[in-house]
PDB file of all heavy atoms in Angstrom:
ATOM      1  N   SER A 169      12.408   4.954 -14.787  1.00 96.00           N
ATOM      2  CA  SER A 169      11.200   5.642 -14.366  1.00 96.00           C
ATOM      3  C   SER A 169      10.009   4.719 -14.608  1.00 96.00           C
ATOM      4  O   SER A 169      10.101   3.764 -15.386  1.00 96.00           O
ATOM      5  CB  SER A 169      11.031   6.943 -15.149  1.00 96.00           C
ATOM      6  OG  SER A 169      12.095   7.824 -14.860  1.00 96.00           O
ATOM      7  N   VAL A 170       8.899   5.011 -13.965  1.00 97.00           N
ATOM      8  CA  VAL A 170       7.736   4.109 -14.041  1.00 97.00           C
ATOM      9  C   VAL A 170       7.336   3.832 -15.482  1.00 97.00           C
ATOM     10  O   VAL A 170       7.087   2.682 -15.866  1.00 97.00           O
ATOM     11  CB  VAL A 170       6.557   4.685 -13.241  1.00 97.00           C
ATOM     12  CG1 VAL A 170       5.269   3.944 -13.558  1.00 97.00           C
ATOM     13  CG2 VAL A 170       6.833   4.598 -11.744  1.00 97.00           C
ATOM     14  N   TRP A 171       7.285   4.884 -16.307  1.00 96.00           N
ATOM     15  CA  TRP A 171       6.867   4.659 -17.704  1.00 96.00           C
ATOM     16  C   TRP A 171       7.877   3.781 -18.445  1.00 96.00           C
ATOM     17  O   TRP A 171       7.502   2.964 -19.284  1.00 96.00           O
ATOM     18  CB  TRP A 171       6.666   5.988 -18.430  1.00 96.00           C
ATOM     19  CG  TRP A 171       7.908   6.798 -18.616  1.00 96.00           C
ATOM     20  CD1 TRP A 171       8.403   7.765 -17.801  1.00 96.00           C
ATOM     21  CD2 TRP A 171       8.845   6.677 -19.692  1.00 96.00           C
ATOM     22  NE1 TRP A 171       9.578   8.269 -18.287  1.00 96.00           N
ATOM     23  CE2 TRP A 171       9.873   7.626 -19.448  1.00 96.00           C
ATOM     24  CE3 TRP A 171       8.903   5.890 -20.827  1.00 96.00           C
ATOM     25  CZ2 TRP A 171      10.951   7.785 -20.303  1.00 96.00           C
ATOM     26  CZ3 TRP A 171       9.982   6.040 -21.689  1.00 96.00           C
ATOM     27  CH2 TRP A 171      10.997   6.975 -21.421  1.00 96.00           C
ATOM     28  N   MET A 172       9.183   3.933 -18.114  1.00 97.00           N
ATOM     29  CA  MET A 172      10.195   3.094 -18.746  1.00 97.00           C
ATOM     30  C   MET A 172      10.164   1.678 -18.194  1.00 97.00           C
ATOM     31  O   MET A 172      10.476   0.717 -18.907  1.00 97.00           O
ATOM     32  CB  MET A 172      11.583   3.722 -18.579  1.00 97.00           C
ATOM     33  CG  MET A 172      12.711   2.922 -19.230  1.00 97.00           C
ATOM     34  SD  MET A 172      12.494   2.591 -21.003  1.00 97.00           S
ATOM     35  CE  MET A 172      12.958   4.164 -21.713  1.00 97.00           C
ATOM     36  N   HIS A 173       9.795   1.529 -16.938  1.00 98.00           N
ATOM     37  CA  HIS A 173       9.545   0.212 -16.361  1.00 98.00           C
ATOM     38  C   HIS A 173       8.528  -0.519 -17.247  1.00 98.00           C
ATOM     39  O   HIS A 173       8.714  -1.684 -17.619  1.00 98.00           O
ATOM     40  CB  HIS A 173       9.017   0.403 -14.927  1.00 98.00           C
ATOM     41  CG  HIS A 173       8.578  -0.834 -14.212  1.00 98.00           C
ATOM     42  ND1 HIS A 173       8.358  -0.841 -12.845  1.00 98.00           N
ATOM     43  CD2 HIS A 173       8.264  -2.083 -14.626  1.00 98.00           C
ATOM     44  CE1 HIS A 173       7.962  -2.039 -12.477  1.00 98.00           C
ATOM     45  NE2 HIS A 173       7.882  -2.809 -13.535  1.00 98.00           N
ATOM     46  N   ASP A 174       7.461   0.182 -17.627  1.00 97.00           N
ATOM     47  CA  ASP A 174       6.443  -0.423 -18.493  1.00 97.00           C
ATOM     48  C   ASP A 174       6.996  -0.766 -19.866  1.00 97.00           C
ATOM     49  O   ASP A 174       6.712  -1.837 -20.417  1.00 97.00           O
ATOM     50  CB  ASP A 174       5.245   0.520 -18.629  1.00 97.00           C
ATOM     51  CG  ASP A 174       4.398   0.589 -17.368  1.00 97.00           C
ATOM     52  OD1 ASP A 174       4.293  -0.423 -16.661  1.00 97.00           O
ATOM     53  OD2 ASP A 174       3.819   1.663 -17.091  1.00 97.00           O
ATOM     54  N   VAL A 175       7.794   0.142 -20.436  1.00 96.00           N
ATOM     55  CA  VAL A 175       8.391  -0.113 -21.749  1.00 96.00           C
ATOM     56  C   VAL A 175       9.285  -1.348 -21.691  1.00 96.00           C
ATOM     57  O   VAL A 175       9.207  -2.245 -22.546  1.00 96.00           O
ATOM     58  CB  VAL A 175       9.204   1.112 -22.221  1.00 96.00           C
ATOM     59  CG1 VAL A 175      10.048   0.767 -23.457  1.00 96.00           C
ATOM     60  CG2 VAL A 175       8.278   2.290 -22.532  1.00 96.00           C
ATOM     61  N   MET A 176      10.138  -1.432 -20.674  1.00 98.00           N
ATOM     62  CA  MET A 176      11.081  -2.541 -20.578  1.00 98.00           C
ATOM     63  C   MET A 176      10.364  -3.867 -20.315  1.00 98.00           C
ATOM     64  O   MET A 176      10.793  -4.923 -20.792  1.00 98.00           O
ATOM     65  CB  MET A 176      12.120  -2.249 -19.491  1.00 98.00           C
ATOM     66  CG  MET A 176      12.985  -1.033 -19.814  1.00 98.00           C
ATOM     67  SD  MET A 176      14.254  -0.682 -18.568  1.00 98.00           S
ATOM     68  CE  MET A 176      15.494  -1.902 -19.022  1.00 98.00           C
ATOM     69  N   PHE A 177       9.276  -3.805 -19.569  1.00 98.00           N
ATOM     70  CA  PHE A 177       8.475  -5.014 -19.359  1.00 98.00           C
ATOM     71  C   PHE A 177       7.938  -5.518 -20.700  1.00 98.00           C
ATOM     72  O   PHE A 177       8.024  -6.711 -21.013  1.00 98.00           O
ATOM     73  CB  PHE A 177       7.326  -4.714 -18.401  1.00 98.00           C
ATOM     74  CG  PHE A 177       6.421  -5.888 -18.153  1.00 98.00           C
ATOM     75  CD1 PHE A 177       6.656  -6.764 -17.106  1.00 98.00           C
ATOM     76  CD2 PHE A 177       5.326  -6.132 -18.985  1.00 98.00           C
ATOM     77  CE1 PHE A 177       5.827  -7.856 -16.892  1.00 98.00           C
ATOM     78  CE2 PHE A 177       4.490  -7.220 -18.772  1.00 98.00           C
ATOM     79  CZ  PHE A 177       4.744  -8.081 -17.723  1.00 98.00           C
ATOM     80  N   LYS A 178       7.386  -4.600 -21.489  1.00 97.00           N
ATOM     81  CA  LYS A 178       6.809  -4.990 -22.780  1.00 97.00           C
ATOM     82  C   LYS A 178       7.869  -5.525 -23.735  1.00 97.00           C
ATOM     83  O   LYS A 178       7.572  -6.353 -24.600  1.00 97.00           O
ATOM     84  CB  LYS A 178       6.085  -3.792 -23.402  1.00 97.00           C
ATOM     85  CG  LYS A 178       4.846  -3.371 -22.632  1.00 97.00           C
ATOM     86  CD  LYS A 178       4.295  -2.037 -23.137  1.00 97.00           C
ATOM     87  CE  LYS A 178       3.143  -1.556 -22.277  1.00 97.00           C
ATOM     88  NZ  LYS A 178       2.658  -0.200 -22.683  1.00 97.00           N
ATOM     89  N   LEU A 179       9.098  -5.066 -23.577  1.00 97.00           N
ATOM     90  CA  LEU A 179      10.196  -5.543 -24.416  1.00 97.00           C
ATOM     91  C   LEU A 179      10.812  -6.842 -23.901  1.00 97.00           C
ATOM     92  O   LEU A 179      11.729  -7.389 -24.522  1.00 97.00           O
ATOM     93  CB  LEU A 179      11.280  -4.464 -24.506  1.00 97.00           C
ATOM     94  CG  LEU A 179      10.912  -3.191 -25.272  1.00 97.00           C
ATOM     95  CD1 LEU A 179      12.006  -2.141 -25.127  1.00 97.00           C
ATOM     96  CD2 LEU A 179      10.666  -3.496 -26.744  1.00 97.00           C
ATOM     97  N   GLY A 180      10.316  -7.327 -22.760  1.00 97.00           N
ATOM     98  CA  GLY A 180      10.822  -8.589 -22.212  1.00 97.00           C
ATOM     99  C   GLY A 180      12.211  -8.486 -21.619  1.00 97.00           C
ATOM    100  O   GLY A 180      12.954  -9.483 -21.597  1.00 97.00           O
ATOM    101  N   LEU A 181      12.585  -7.321 -21.089  1.00 98.00           N
ATOM    102  CA  LEU A 181      13.941  -7.113 -20.584  1.00 98.00           C
ATOM    103  C   LEU A 181      14.087  -7.322 -19.081  1.00 98.00           C
ATOM    104  O   LEU A 181      15.202  -7.315 -18.565  1.00 98.00           O
ATOM    105  CB  LEU A 181      14.402  -5.694 -20.926  1.00 98.00           C
ATOM    106  CG  LEU A 181      14.509  -5.366 -22.418  1.00 98.00           C
ATOM    107  CD1 LEU A 181      14.839  -3.890 -22.610  1.00 98.00           C
ATOM    108  CD2 LEU A 181      15.563  -6.246 -23.084  1.00 98.00           C
ATOM    109  N   LEU A 182      12.967  -7.500 -18.371  1.00 98.00           N
ATOM    110  CA  LEU A 182      13.008  -7.553 -16.919  1.00 98.00           C
ATOM    111  C   LEU A 182      12.840  -8.978 -16.379  1.00 98.00           C
ATOM    112  O   LEU A 182      12.060  -9.769 -16.916  1.00 98.00           O
ATOM    113  CB  LEU A 182      11.919  -6.652 -16.326  1.00 98.00           C
ATOM    114  CG  LEU A 182      11.950  -5.192 -16.773  1.00 98.00           C
ATOM    115  CD1 LEU A 182      10.812  -4.423 -16.123  1.00 98.00           C
ATOM    116  CD2 LEU A 182      13.295  -4.542 -16.456  1.00 98.00           C
ATOM    117  N   ALA A 183      13.558  -9.265 -15.299  1.00 98.00           N
ATOM    118  CA  ALA A 183      13.453 -10.563 -14.636  1.00 98.00           C
ATOM    119  C   ALA A 183      12.341 -10.523 -13.590  1.00 98.00           C
ATOM    120  O   ALA A 183      12.177  -9.519 -12.892  1.00 98.00           O
ATOM    121  CB  ALA A 183      14.776 -10.923 -13.966  1.00 98.00           C
ATOM    122  N   LYS A 184      11.608 -11.592 -13.470  1.00 98.00           N
ATOM    123  CA  LYS A 184      10.610 -11.687 -12.405  1.00 98.00           C
ATOM    124  C   LYS A 184      11.339 -12.000 -11.102  1.00 98.00           C
ATOM    125  O   LYS A 184      12.099 -12.965 -11.009  1.00 98.00           O
ATOM    126  CB  LYS A 184       9.594 -12.771 -12.720  1.00 98.00           C
ATOM    127  CG  LYS A 184       8.412 -12.787 -11.770  1.00 98.00           C
ATOM    128  CD  LYS A 184       7.356 -13.801 -12.188  1.00 98.00           C
ATOM    129  CE  LYS A 184       6.154 -13.729 -11.244  1.00 98.00           C
ATOM    130  NZ  LYS A 184       5.125 -14.738 -11.583  1.00 98.00           N
ATOM    131  N   THR A 185      11.120 -11.166 -10.099  1.00 98.00           N
ATOM    132  CA  THR A 185      11.817 -11.325  -8.821  1.00 98.00           C
ATOM    133  C   THR A 185      10.906 -11.789  -7.694  1.00 98.00           C
ATOM    134  O   THR A 185      11.390 -12.238  -6.663  1.00 98.00           O
ATOM    135  CB  THR A 185      12.444  -9.989  -8.385  1.00 98.00           C
ATOM    136  OG1 THR A 185      11.391  -9.028  -8.178  1.00 98.00           O
ATOM    137  CG2 THR A 185      13.414  -9.460  -9.442  1.00 98.00           C
ATOM    138  N   ASP A 186       9.592 -11.643  -7.889  1.00 98.00           N
ATOM    139  CA  ASP A 186       8.608 -11.929  -6.822  1.00 98.00           C
ATOM    140  C   ASP A 186       8.939 -11.151  -5.554  1.00 98.00           C
ATOM    141  O   ASP A 186       8.700 -11.622  -4.440  1.00 98.00           O
ATOM    142  CB  ASP A 186       8.556 -13.432  -6.524  1.00 98.00           C
ATOM    143  CG  ASP A 186       8.021 -14.241  -7.707  1.00 98.00           C
ATOM    144  OD1 ASP A 186       7.015 -13.816  -8.287  1.00 98.00           O
ATOM    145  OD2 ASP A 186       8.629 -15.270  -8.044  1.00 98.00           O
ATOM    146  N   ILE A 187       9.464  -9.934  -5.740  1.00 98.00           N
ATOM    147  CA  ILE A 187       9.915  -9.155  -4.589  1.00 98.00           C
ATOM    148  C   ILE A 187       8.771  -8.815  -3.637  1.00 98.00           C
ATOM    149  O   ILE A 187       8.985  -8.673  -2.425  1.00 98.00           O
ATOM    150  CB  ILE A 187      10.660  -7.874  -5.060  1.00 98.00           C
ATOM    151  CG1 ILE A 187      11.425  -7.239  -3.909  1.00 98.00           C
ATOM    152  CG2 ILE A 187       9.716  -6.890  -5.714  1.00 98.00           C
ATOM    153  CD1 ILE A 187      12.529  -8.111  -3.343  1.00 98.00           C
ATOM    154  N   SER A 188       7.570  -8.698  -4.144  1.00 98.00           N
ATOM    155  CA  SER A 188       6.442  -8.348  -3.271  1.00 98.00           C
ATOM    156  C   SER A 188       6.122  -9.457  -2.281  1.00 98.00           C
ATOM    157  O   SER A 188       5.412  -9.219  -1.297  1.00 98.00           O
ATOM    158  CB  SER A 188       5.201  -8.025  -4.099  1.00 98.00           C
ATOM    159  OG  SER A 188       4.832  -9.131  -4.905  1.00 98.00           O
ATOM    160  N   GLY A 189       6.649 -10.657  -2.527  1.00 98.00           N
ATOM    161  CA  GLY A 189       6.429 -11.772  -1.605  1.00 98.00           C
ATOM    162  C   GLY A 189       7.466 -11.848  -0.503  1.00 98.00           C
ATOM    163  O   GLY A 189       7.356 -12.697   0.393  1.00 98.00           O
ATOM    164  N   HIS A 190       8.465 -10.981  -0.531  1.00 98.00           N
ATOM    165  CA  HIS A 190       9.510 -10.987   0.489  1.00 98.00           C
ATOM    166  C   HIS A 190       9.029 -10.242   1.736  1.00 98.00           C
ATOM    167  O   HIS A 190       8.257  -9.277   1.640  1.00 98.00           O
ATOM    168  CB  HIS A 190      10.788 -10.335  -0.054  1.00 98.00           C
ATOM    169  CG  HIS A 190      11.467 -11.143  -1.115  1.00 98.00           C
ATOM    170  ND1 HIS A 190      12.826 -11.367  -1.136  1.00 98.00           N
ATOM    171  CD2 HIS A 190      10.980 -11.816  -2.195  1.00 98.00           C
ATOM    172  CE1 HIS A 190      13.144 -12.115  -2.173  1.00 98.00           C
ATOM    173  NE2 HIS A 190      12.045 -12.387  -2.838  1.00 98.00           N
ATOM    174  N   PRO A 191       9.477 -10.646   2.912  1.00 98.00           N
ATOM    175  CA  PRO A 191       8.991 -10.031   4.164  1.00 98.00           C
ATOM    176  C   PRO A 191       9.154  -8.520   4.222  1.00 98.00           C
ATOM    177  O   PRO A 191       8.287  -7.801   4.718  1.00 98.00           O
ATOM    178  CB  PRO A 191       9.838 -10.720   5.243  1.00 98.00           C
ATOM    179  CG  PRO A 191      10.201 -12.034   4.650  1.00 98.00           C
ATOM    180  CD  PRO A 191      10.386 -11.780   3.178  1.00 98.00           C
ATOM    181  N   GLY A 192      10.271  -8.010   3.696  1.00 98.00           N
ATOM    182  CA  GLY A 192      10.540  -6.577   3.775  1.00 98.00           C
ATOM    183  C   GLY A 192       9.586  -5.725   2.950  1.00 98.00           C
ATOM    184  O   GLY A 192       9.497  -4.506   3.156  1.00 98.00           O
ATOM    185  N   PHE A 193       8.843  -6.351   2.036  1.00 98.00           N
ATOM    186  CA  PHE A 193       7.970  -5.576   1.166  1.00 98.00           C
ATOM    187  C   PHE A 193       6.817  -4.932   1.944  1.00 98.00           C
ATOM    188  O   PHE A 193       6.189  -3.993   1.457  1.00 98.00           O
ATOM    189  CB  PHE A 193       7.414  -6.438   0.027  1.00 98.00           C
ATOM    190  CG  PHE A 193       6.835  -5.635  -1.104  1.00 98.00           C
ATOM    191  CD1 PHE A 193       7.660  -5.066  -2.065  1.00 98.00           C
ATOM    192  CD2 PHE A 193       5.467  -5.422  -1.199  1.00 98.00           C
ATOM    193  CE1 PHE A 193       7.127  -4.307  -3.104  1.00 98.00           C
ATOM    194  CE2 PHE A 193       4.924  -4.668  -2.223  1.00 98.00           C
ATOM    195  CZ  PHE A 193       5.766  -4.106  -3.185  1.00 98.00           C
ATOM    196  N   LYS A 194       6.591  -5.409   3.146  1.00 98.00           N
ATOM    197  CA  LYS A 194       5.540  -4.796   3.976  1.00 98.00           C
ATOM    198  C   LYS A 194       5.858  -3.331   4.270  1.00 98.00           C
ATOM    199  O   LYS A 194       4.965  -2.547   4.636  1.00 98.00           O
ATOM    200  CB  LYS A 194       5.379  -5.567   5.292  1.00 98.00           C
ATOM    201  CG  LYS A 194       6.581  -5.476   6.238  1.00 98.00           C
ATOM    202  CD  LYS A 194       6.353  -6.276   7.500  1.00 98.00           C
ATOM    203  CE  LYS A 194       7.524  -6.134   8.486  1.00 98.00           C
ATOM    204  NZ  LYS A 194       8.775  -6.666   7.950  1.00 98.00           N
ATOM    205  N   ASN A 195       7.134  -2.956   4.124  1.00 98.00           N
ATOM    206  CA  ASN A 195       7.535  -1.573   4.377  1.00 98.00           C
ATOM    207  C   ASN A 195       7.200  -0.629   3.222  1.00 98.00           C
ATOM    208  O   ASN A 195       7.260   0.590   3.390  1.00 98.00           O
ATOM    209  CB  ASN A 195       9.050  -1.508   4.617  1.00 98.00           C
ATOM    210  CG  ASN A 195       9.473  -2.261   5.862  1.00 98.00           C
ATOM    211  OD1 ASN A 195       8.736  -2.322   6.834  1.00 98.00           O
ATOM    212  ND2 ASN A 195      10.668  -2.848   5.822  1.00 98.00           N
ATOM    213  N   ILE A 196       6.877  -1.176   2.067  1.00 98.00           N
ATOM    214  CA  ILE A 196       6.716  -0.367   0.857  1.00 98.00           C
ATOM    215  C   ILE A 196       5.296   0.173   0.732  1.00 98.00           C
ATOM    216  O   ILE A 196       4.319  -0.563   0.858  1.00 98.00           O
ATOM    217  CB  ILE A 196       7.094  -1.182  -0.392  1.00 98.00           C
ATOM    218  CG1 ILE A 196       8.512  -1.762  -0.244  1.00 98.00           C
ATOM    219  CG2 ILE A 196       6.982  -0.327  -1.641  1.00 98.00           C
ATOM    220  CD1 ILE A 196       9.591  -0.727   0.002  1.00 98.00           C
ATOM    221  N   ASP A 197       5.202   1.463   0.472  1.00 98.00           N
ATOM    222  CA  ASP A 197       3.917   2.133   0.316  1.00 98.00           C
ATOM    223  C   ASP A 197       3.141   1.513  -0.854  1.00 98.00           C
ATOM    224  O   ASP A 197       3.629   1.511  -1.990  1.00 98.00           O
ATOM    225  CB  ASP A 197       4.170   3.618   0.039  1.00 98.00           C
ATOM    226  CG  ASP A 197       2.890   4.447  -0.023  1.00 98.00           C
ATOM    227  OD1 ASP A 197       1.793   3.872   0.026  1.00 98.00           O
ATOM    228  OD2 ASP A 197       3.010   5.680  -0.134  1.00 98.00           O
ATOM    229  N   PRO A 198       1.934   0.984  -0.596  1.00 97.00           N
ATOM    230  CA  PRO A 198       1.145   0.392  -1.693  1.00 97.00           C
ATOM    231  C   PRO A 198       0.895   1.371  -2.832  1.00 97.00           C
ATOM    232  O   PRO A 198       0.784   0.960  -3.991  1.00 97.00           O
ATOM    233  CB  PRO A 198      -0.170  -0.007  -1.001  1.00 97.00           C
ATOM    234  CG  PRO A 198       0.183  -0.174   0.433  1.00 97.00           C
ATOM    235  CD  PRO A 198       1.255   0.850   0.705  1.00 97.00           C
ATOM    236  N   ALA A 199       0.824   2.660  -2.533  1.00 96.00           N
ATOM    237  CA  ALA A 199       0.559   3.668  -3.565  1.00 96.00           C
ATOM    238  C   ALA A 199       1.710   3.797  -4.555  1.00 96.00           C
ATOM    239  O   ALA A 199       1.547   4.384  -5.629  1.00 96.00           O
ATOM    240  CB  ALA A 199       0.278   5.024  -2.921  1.00 96.00           C
ATOM    241  N   SER A 200       2.871   3.249  -4.213  1.00 97.00           N
ATOM    242  CA  SER A 200       4.035   3.370  -5.094  1.00 97.00           C
ATOM    243  C   SER A 200       4.072   2.293  -6.169  1.00 97.00           C
ATOM    244  O   SER A 200       4.951   2.314  -7.024  1.00 97.00           O
ATOM    245  CB  SER A 200       5.335   3.323  -4.277  1.00 97.00           C
ATOM    246  OG  SER A 200       5.527   2.050  -3.696  1.00 97.00           O
ATOM    247  N   ARG A 201       3.123   1.380  -6.145  1.00 97.00           N
ATOM    248  CA  ARG A 201       3.060   0.364  -7.207  1.00 97.00           C
ATOM    249  C   ARG A 201       2.367   0.985  -8.413  1.00 97.00           C
ATOM    250  O   ARG A 201       1.210   0.699  -8.709  1.00 97.00           O
ATOM    251  CB  ARG A 201       2.338  -0.885  -6.708  1.00 97.00           C
ATOM    252  CG  ARG A 201       3.183  -1.716  -5.753  1.00 97.00           C
ATOM    253  CD  ARG A 201       2.495  -2.970  -5.318  1.00 97.00           C
ATOM    254  NE  ARG A 201       1.621  -2.743  -4.173  1.00 97.00           N
ATOM    255  CZ  ARG A 201       0.884  -3.690  -3.589  1.00 97.00           C
ATOM    256  NH1 ARG A 201       0.902  -4.921  -4.048  1.00 97.00           N
ATOM    257  NH2 ARG A 201       0.134  -3.395  -2.558  1.00 97.00           N
ATOM    258  N   ARG A 202       3.100   1.827  -9.108  1.00 97.00           N
ATOM    259  CA  ARG A 202       2.502   2.654 -10.156  1.00 97.00           C
ATOM    260  C   ARG A 202       2.669   2.086 -11.560  1.00 97.00           C
ATOM    261  O   ARG A 202       2.025   2.558 -12.496  1.00 97.00           O
ATOM    262  CB  ARG A 202       3.107   4.062 -10.105  1.00 97.00           C
ATOM    263  CG  ARG A 202       2.713   4.854  -8.873  1.00 97.00           C
ATOM    264  CD  ARG A 202       3.209   6.286  -8.942  1.00 97.00           C
ATOM    265  NE  ARG A 202       2.588   7.131  -7.932  1.00 97.00           N
ATOM    266  CZ  ARG A 202       3.118   7.415  -6.753  1.00 97.00           C
ATOM    267  NH1 ARG A 202       4.312   6.918  -6.442  1.00 97.00           N
ATOM    268  NH2 ARG A 202       2.482   8.187  -5.885  1.00 97.00           N
ATOM    269  N   ALA A 203       3.550   1.126 -11.763  1.00 98.00           N
ATOM    270  CA  ALA A 203       3.766   0.583 -13.107  1.00 98.00           C
ATOM    271  C   ALA A 203       2.525  -0.192 -13.553  1.00 98.00           C
ATOM    272  O   ALA A 203       2.065  -1.107 -12.866  1.00 98.00           O
ATOM    273  CB  ALA A 203       4.991  -0.321 -13.122  1.00 98.00           C
ATOM    274  N   GLU A 204       1.995   0.175 -14.702  1.00 97.00           N
ATOM    275  CA  GLU A 204       0.779  -0.467 -15.194  1.00 97.00           C
ATOM    276  C   GLU A 204       1.002  -1.937 -15.528  1.00 97.00           C
ATOM    277  O   GLU A 204       0.087  -2.754 -15.409  1.00 97.00           O
ATOM    278  CB  GLU A 204       0.268   0.288 -16.424  1.00 97.00           C
ATOM    279  CG  GLU A 204      -0.187   1.710 -16.120  1.00 97.00           C
ATOM    280  CD  GLU A 204      -0.584   2.494 -17.360  1.00 97.00           C
ATOM    281  OE1 GLU A 204      -0.384   1.965 -18.482  1.00 97.00           O
ATOM    282  OE2 GLU A 204      -1.088   3.618 -17.208  1.00 97.00           O
ATOM    283  N   THR A 205       2.226  -2.285 -15.921  1.00 98.00           N
ATOM    284  CA  THR A 205       2.524  -3.663 -16.290  1.00 98.00           C
ATOM    285  C   THR A 205       2.931  -4.523 -15.103  1.00 98.00           C
ATOM    286  O   THR A 205       3.097  -5.738 -15.238  1.00 98.00           O
ATOM    287  CB  THR A 205       3.669  -3.700 -17.321  1.00 98.00           C
ATOM    288  OG1 THR A 205       4.804  -3.013 -16.758  1.00 98.00           O
ATOM    289  CG2 THR A 205       3.257  -3.025 -18.622  1.00 98.00           C
ATOM    290  N   ASP A 206       3.104  -3.903 -13.937  1.00 98.00           N
ATOM    291  CA  ASP A 206       3.608  -4.620 -12.762  1.00 98.00           C
ATOM    292  C   ASP A 206       2.856  -4.178 -11.506  1.00 98.00           C
ATOM    293  O   ASP A 206       3.468  -3.767 -10.516  1.00 98.00           O
ATOM    294  CB  ASP A 206       5.113  -4.342 -12.620  1.00 98.00           C
ATOM    295  CG  ASP A 206       5.827  -5.255 -11.632  1.00 98.00           C
ATOM    296  OD1 ASP A 206       5.247  -6.291 -11.247  1.00 98.00           O
ATOM    297  OD2 ASP A 206       6.961  -4.911 -11.240  1.00 98.00           O
ATOM    298  N   PRO A 207       1.524  -4.265 -11.511  1.00 97.00           N
ATOM    299  CA  PRO A 207       0.737  -3.720 -10.400  1.00 97.00           C
ATOM    300  C   PRO A 207       0.968  -4.418  -9.071  1.00 97.00           C
ATOM    301  O   PRO A 207       0.721  -3.835  -8.010  1.00 97.00           O
ATOM    302  CB  PRO A 207      -0.707  -3.894 -10.879  1.00 97.00           C
ATOM    303  CG  PRO A 207      -0.648  -5.042 -11.845  1.00 97.00           C
ATOM    304  CD  PRO A 207       0.665  -4.886 -12.542  1.00 97.00           C
ATOM    305  N   ASN A 208       1.440  -5.648  -9.115  1.00 97.00           N
ATOM    306  CA  ASN A 208       1.673  -6.399  -7.880  1.00 97.00           C
ATOM    307  C   ASN A 208       3.132  -6.445  -7.479  1.00 97.00           C
ATOM    308  O   ASN A 208       3.508  -7.179  -6.557  1.00 97.00           O
ATOM    309  CB  ASN A 208       1.132  -7.831  -8.041  1.00 97.00           C
ATOM    310  CG  ASN A 208      -0.361  -7.847  -8.279  1.00 97.00           C
ATOM    311  OD1 ASN A 208      -1.117  -7.122  -7.641  1.00 97.00           O
ATOM    312  ND2 ASN A 208      -0.803  -8.671  -9.232  1.00 97.00           N
ATOM    313  N   ALA A 209       3.961  -5.681  -8.169  1.00 98.00           N
ATOM    314  CA  ALA A 209       5.406  -5.647  -7.893  1.00 98.00           C
ATOM    315  C   ALA A 209       6.005  -7.048  -7.933  1.00 98.00           C
ATOM    316  O   ALA A 209       6.794  -7.432  -7.067  1.00 98.00           O
ATOM    317  CB  ALA A 209       5.694  -4.978  -6.559  1.00 98.00           C
ATOM    318  N   ASP A 210       5.650  -7.799  -8.944  1.00 98.00           N
ATOM    319  CA  ASP A 210       6.247  -9.121  -9.143  1.00 98.00           C
ATOM    320  C   ASP A 210       7.639  -9.014  -9.752  1.00 98.00           C
ATOM    321  O   ASP A 210       8.422  -9.959  -9.686  1.00 98.00           O
ATOM    322  CB  ASP A 210       5.363  -9.967 -10.063  1.00 98.00           C
ATOM    323  CG  ASP A 210       4.006 -10.285  -9.460  1.00 98.00           C
ATOM    324  OD1 ASP A 210       3.949 -10.519  -8.229  1.00 98.00           O
ATOM    325  OD2 ASP A 210       3.005 -10.286 -10.196  1.00 98.00           O
ATOM    326  N   TYR A 211       7.939  -7.873 -10.361  1.00 98.00           N
ATOM    327  CA  TYR A 211       9.206  -7.696 -11.058  1.00 98.00           C
ATOM    328  C   TYR A 211      10.133  -6.696 -10.357  1.00 98.00           C
ATOM    329  O   TYR A 211      11.286  -7.009 -10.081  1.00 98.00           O
ATOM    330  CB  TYR A 211       8.949  -7.241 -12.508  1.00 98.00           C
ATOM    331  CG  TYR A 211       8.441  -8.353 -13.385  1.00 98.00           C
ATOM    332  CD1 TYR A 211       7.116  -8.766 -13.306  1.00 98.00           C
ATOM    333  CD2 TYR A 211       9.285  -9.013 -14.271  1.00 98.00           C
ATOM    334  CE1 TYR A 211       6.634  -9.807 -14.098  1.00 98.00           C
ATOM    335  CE2 TYR A 211       8.822 -10.064 -15.073  1.00 98.00           C
ATOM    336  CZ  TYR A 211       7.492 -10.452 -14.975  1.00 98.00           C
ATOM    337  OH  TYR A 211       7.030 -11.480 -15.741  1.00 98.00           O
ATOM    338  N   CYS A 212       9.634  -5.495 -10.099  1.00 98.00           N
ATOM    339  CA  CYS A 212      10.507  -4.410  -9.644  1.00 98.00           C
ATOM    340  C   CYS A 212      10.096  -3.870  -8.277  1.00 98.00           C
ATOM    341  O   CYS A 212       8.934  -3.981  -7.870  1.00 98.00           O
ATOM    342  CB  CYS A 212      10.492  -3.270 -10.653  1.00 98.00           C
ATOM    343  SG  CYS A 212      11.031  -3.751 -12.320  1.00 98.00           S
ATOM    344  N   LEU A 213      11.071  -3.261  -7.616  1.00 98.00           N
ATOM    345  CA  LEU A 213      10.852  -2.645  -6.308  1.00 98.00           C
ATOM    346  C   LEU A 213      10.735  -1.134  -6.475  1.00 98.00           C
ATOM    347  O   LEU A 213      11.663  -0.489  -6.970  1.00 98.00           O
ATOM    348  CB  LEU A 213      12.028  -2.963  -5.389  1.00 98.00           C
ATOM    349  CG  LEU A 213      12.011  -2.289  -4.009  1.00 98.00           C
ATOM    350  CD1 LEU A 213      10.891  -2.875  -3.152  1.00 98.00           C
ATOM    351  CD2 LEU A 213      13.362  -2.454  -3.309  1.00 98.00           C
TER     352      LEU A 213
END
C-alpha cells in the first residue's frame, strides 16, 4: 500500500527502476503518484 511503499523506501528495501521514464508510463494517471517518498515514480509503478 502507498503508506507501506513509504516505509519500505525509508528502510532501503526498494530498487530504483526509473519506471516513470519508460514509454508506457504515459498511460498512468499522474494523480496516482501518491507515495510521499517517490513522487516521480522513480521506484514503483
